[in-house]
Amino acid sequence: MRALLQRVTSASVTVDGQITGEIGAGLLVLIGFRKTDTPGEGDWMIRKILAARIFNDEAGKMNKSVVDIRGEILLVSQFTLYGDLKQGTRPGFSDSMPGEAAREFYAKWVANFRGLCGLKIQEGQFAADMKVRLLNDGPVTILIEKEAETPREG
């Protein structure tokens, strides 16, 4: 699972000329799922996103989370985060979670996200041709990755 966090002053997603999600100050989260991701890894990612201290405190140091500042969150599914250019120049997506499985996983993940925080959460539209606008603040862009957990022996 990969999440690309962008600290923003504002962000929006438009599909077919209609805004599907729009936020003020907070986080734009581009999220991609790998075919082996589990709900436990999804929960880990949510906690990591909510706790990431990438907003400035009174001294100008990145020491506050989106929860601390009561920011807003825009979630955008993006399977291309698992694009692979190891062979040639056309990306392969063999590690991305397949379409219908990803749609279901994403819907449950968003519901869990909403359940874990009281912040304003907006979304893009799964599998749509989205136009994403953002005003990156800083700029601050952080990649978070959760590798598949290895089963414990014993």
Side-chain angles (χ1 to χ4, degrees):
M1 182 173 302
R2 289 181 181 151
L4 186 68
L5 309 181
Q6 294 187 302
R7 187 176 79 182
V8 298
T9 302
S10 62
S12 66
V13 175
T14 303
V15 177
D16 295 329
Q18 299 294 314
I19 294 175
T20 63
E22 185 173 32
I23 63 167
L27 291 176
L28 168 61
V29 178
L30 305 175
I31 186 75
F33 303 111
R34 184 183 40 247
K35 59 187 171 187
T36 57
D37 284 338
T38 66
E41 291 161 1
D43 290 346
W44 178 92
M45 183 64 75
I46 293 167
R47 290 190 303 274
K48 197 73 162 177
I49 291 167
L50 292 173
R53 297 184 333 179
I54 62 173
F55 292 89
N56 293 347
D57 63 14
E58 297 73 22
K61 302 289 184 194
M62 284 198 289
N63 203 26
K64 290 189 174 190
S65 71
V66 68
V67 174
D68 295 333
I69 67 155
R70 302 296 303 157
E72 300 175 354
I73 300 173
L74 178 57
L75 302 173
V76 177
S77 62
Q78 190 169 0
F79 80 96
T80 60
L81 286 176
Y82 276 99
D84 180 357
L85 289 171
K86 290 179 185 168
Q87 296 180 342
T89 56
R90 183 176 177 174
F93 299 100
S94 61
D95 286 341
S96 294
M97 189 176 286
E100 281 309 307
R103 180 183 305 275
E104 183 177 316
F105 194 94
Y106 174 74
K108 289 178 182 176
W109 186 78
V110 170
N112 287 346
F113 206 118
R114 285 193 166 109
L116 288 173
C117 76
L119 302 176
K120 175 183 176 183
I121 296 180
Q122 297 281 294
E123 293 179 66
Q125 183 178 325
F126 188 88
D129 180 13
M130 295 178 274
K131 306 302 181 209
V132 180
R133 290 193 126 135
L134 67 136
L135 185 55
N136 198 317
D137 181 18
V140 174
T141 303
I142 306 289
L143 178 65
I144 303 173
E145 186 162 13
K146 177 67 173 161
E147 294 295 336
E149 295 178 3
T150 306
R152 294 183 182 169
E153 293 185 28

